Structure formats: structure tokens, C-alpha cells
Amino acid sequence: MTTVDVRRIATPLAPAPGRRRARSQDAAGWLTYTILTVTTLLFVAPFYYMLVAASRPMSEMNTFPPPVLPGPDLFDNIATAIHQQNIGLALWNSLVVSTITTAATVLFCTLAGFAFGKLRFRGRNVLFAITLGTMMIPPSLAVVPLYSIMAEFGLAGTLSSVILPTLVTAFGVFFMRQYLIQALPDELLEAAKVDGATTLRTFFSIVLPIARPGAAVLGMLTFMTAWNDFFWPIITLNSSNPTVQVALNNLGSGYVPDTAVIMAGTLIGTLPVLVVFVLLGRQIVGGIMAGAVKG
């Protein structure tokens, strides 16, 4: 009859040396936290300075050393910015342009990426090469013919002239194609085809749910690009119907621009982008991590 050593059973097993070493390597040390803290402060510092400058008169910001704490004039400077330029209309115009552009870009680029990545048709590689070739053309070269087209259709000076040229982008098509090639199994498409689903039914029922992380990343990048776009809107729009960037440019015009008022208007124009980033931040991180794992 064999005896059992009760002390060996009661004593917890010691972790393996390799596991303990891996756990200590994964733990972040003080150097990691120091680097992350310094990096965060470097990125937050311009936004904090914008808040300080927007809440104090220009005379105080020109002193040395400049103030480091927010002042009491924030709402007064915001009211001055709104009075000098129609910031409310500019925010609405930028919201309309950015929302429509983002929705259309995500939909059309996902459709095109699905076609180029998973469908087989004649001339696919040639069309995709032409699409990528358009990325090599500087945008400034297309300004004159693009404005002539918009003027010919009577759209110059309207928001449609800003929205139509950006409904689909070559970068978005390339991004979604690469994402769907990795994330979308061919077996799902074959199963949908066996079940009798059409191409559009397959796209809306299978492709779109799988492409959601990548579409969130593309949507965030598109929204920020459309919101911050200045070059094309200032050409095709006038001062009575501006976007945020055009309104801020007009706000800063003058013999002696008021820095505090400009910073107050910039603060208003920055808030919607921060809200969108907070709402889509988890999807963006998920899309980037999914792309990294798939790759």
C-alpha cells in the first residue's frame, strides 16, 4: 500500500521559472510609464495652450513669461468669434460635408475594395492599377479642371462642390481591399453563393459586418480629413457659406489679428473631432489590432 505525502498536496505548486520570467518581462516598469507620461504631455500641451490663449486677452498672452492657467474670458472670446464670423453656420456646413463624405467614402470604398479583392472579372488588375495611379497625381493639378466642372454644373459656391469630389478616394479603396483580403474568408462567399445569395446580398449581409473594424478606421480618417480640409473649400466656397476652416481663416484676417479670438474659434472647431474620436476610438483600435494580427 502506497502512502501519500499530505504536505506535498497541501503545498501550492511554485510557478515555473519560465512563466515567472515572462510575467516580469510583460510588466511595465517605471521607465515605460515615464516615457508614456512625457509623450502624453507633449501631445496634450498644444491643446492646453489653446485653452489658455482662448480664455485670456491678447495683451496677456504677449507678455513674458506667458500665463499658464486659464483665464476668465473664454466665453467672451467665443462670443466675439461667433459675432465676427458665422461659426454656427460654419460648424453645420462642416458637419454636413464631413458626415456625407464619410458615409459615402466608407460605403463606396468598401464596395470597390470587395470587388477588387474578392470578385473575379476581366480587367480587374488594370482598373485597380489605374485607381492607385490617381494617388500619384498632386491634388493641386486638378483644381482648375475640377472648379471648371463645378462651375459648368452651377455648383460653385455650394456645399455640393465640396462633397462630390470626395465621395470616394483611391486610398480608401486600397485600404479596404487589403483589409478584406485578409479578414474575409473565401469559404463564406462560397457558402453564400451556394445558398443563392446575390452579390449585393452577400455584401450587405456578410462583407459589411466583417469589414466594420476597417470601415471604422477609414471613417475616422475620412472625417478628420474632410473636417480639416482647407485648400479646396476656400477655393470653391465664399465667405457667406463657409466651412469651419474657411471661417477660421477669415477670423484671423485683419491688420492685427486677435490671437485670443482665433484660439477661441479654433477651440470650437476642434471639439467635434474629439467627440468623434471618443465615440469611434474602440473600433479604431480594434481595426488596427485586427489588421496587425491578420497581417
Side-chain angles (χ1 to χ4, degrees), residues 3 18 48 56 101 117 120 138-139 144 162 165 167 191-192 202 220 243 245 249 254 270-271 281 290:
T3 59
Y48 180 76
R56 290 183 176 273
T101 300
R120 301 292 181 266
V144 175
V162 182
L167 290 180
T202 302
M220 178 62 189
T243 57
Q245 307 306 323
N249 177 72
T270 307
L271 291 179

Side-chain angles (χ1 to χ4, degrees), residues 238-259:
N238 50 50
S239 58
S240 62
N241 190 33
T243 57
V244 167
Q245 307 306 323
V246 177
L248 292 179
N249 177 72
N250 297 332
L251 192 65
S253 61
Y255 188 73
V256 181
D258 193 337
T259 306

Side-chain angles (χ1 to χ4, degrees), residues 132-157:
L132 291 183
T134 60
M135 299 176 61
M136 311 301 174
I137 303 175
S140 57
L141 295 181
V143 169
V144 175
L146 186 59
Y147 186 83
S148 300
I149 293 174
M150 294 302 161
E152 187 71 21
F153 284 101
L155 299 177

Side-chain angles (χ1 to χ4, degrees), residues 112-256:
F114 169 59
F116 283 129
K118 292 297 181 178
L119 300 183
R120 301 292 181 266
F121 55 91
R122 183 176 301 176
R124 183 186 66 169
N125 295 333
V126 175
L127 292 176
F128 185 65
I130 294 174
T131 302
L132 291 183
T134 60
M135 299 176 61
M136 311 301 174
I137 303 175
S140 57
L141 295 181
V143 169
V144 175
L146 186 59
Y147 186 83
S148 300
I149 293 174
M150 294 302 161
E152 187 71 21
F153 284 101
L155 299 177
T158 65
L159 295 182
S160 300
S161 63
V162 182
I163 296 173
L164 289 178
T166 56
L167 290 180
V168 63
T169 61
F171 168 77
V173 173
F174 173 76
F175 179 84
M176 294 308 301
R177 174 186 179 272
Q178 298 304 116
Y179 183 85
L180 290 175
I181 286 177
Q182 298 293 335
L184 181 60
D186 294 333
E187 292 77 9
L188 287 179
L189 302 179
E190 294 174 358
K193 187 176 182 180
V194 170
D195 290 341
T198 62
T199 304
L200 285 179
R201 176 65 182 274
T202 302
F203 175 78
F204 286 106
S205 300
I206 297 177
V207 178
L208 269 185
I210 294 177
R212 185 174 59 182
V217 176
L218 178 61
M220 178 62 189
L221 296 176
T222 304
F223 186 91
M224 291 183 61
T225 301
W227 186 273
N228 296 324
D229 190 16
F230 172 75
F231 181 66
W232 175 241
I234 198 173
I235 293 175
T236 188
L237 296 179
N238 50 50
S239 58
S240 62
N241 190 33
T243 57
V244 167
Q245 307 306 323
V246 177
L248 292 179
N249 177 72
N250 297 332
L251 192 65
S253 61
Y255 188 73
V256 181

Side-chain angles (χ1 to χ4, degrees), residues 17-152:
R19 183 181 304 174
R20 183 168 49 231
R21 185 164 47 250
R23 184 177 302 173
S24 63
Q25 291 177 357
D26 293 338
W30 64 269
L31 180 60
T32 302
Y33 283 108
T34 302
I35 295 175
L36 292 177
T37 302
V38 172
T39 304
T40 303
L41 292 176
L42 289 177
F43 280 102
V44 173
F47 295 98
Y48 180 76
Y49 179 79
M50 178 176 61
L51 176 63
V52 173
S55 60
R56 290 183 176 273
M58 185 176 63
S59 58
E60 293 185 8
M61 297 306 300
N62 291 332
T63 59
F64 184 82
V68 295
L69 296 178
D73 299 337
L74 176 61
F75 295 103
D76 293 337
N77 292 331
I78 291 177
T80 303
I82 295 175
H83 177 72
Q84 291 184 5
Q85 295 292 327
N86 197 344
I87 301 296
L89 177 62
L91 287 173
W92 173 253
N93 288 341
S94 291
L95 183 62
V96 170
V97 170
S98 301
T99 302
I100 296 177
T101 300
T102 301
T105 299
V106 170
L107 177 61
F108 293 148
C109 289
T110 306
L111 274 169
F114 169 59
F116 283 129
K118 292 297 181 178
L119 300 183
R120 301 292 181 266
F121 55 91
R122 183 176 301 176
R124 183 186 66 169
N125 295 333
V126 175
L127 292 176
F128 185 65
I130 294 174
T131 302
L132 291 183
T134 60
M135 299 176 61
M136 311 301 174
I137 303 175
S140 57
L141 295 181
V143 169
V144 175
L146 186 59
Y147 186 83
S148 300
I149 293 174
M150 294 302 161
E152 187 71 21

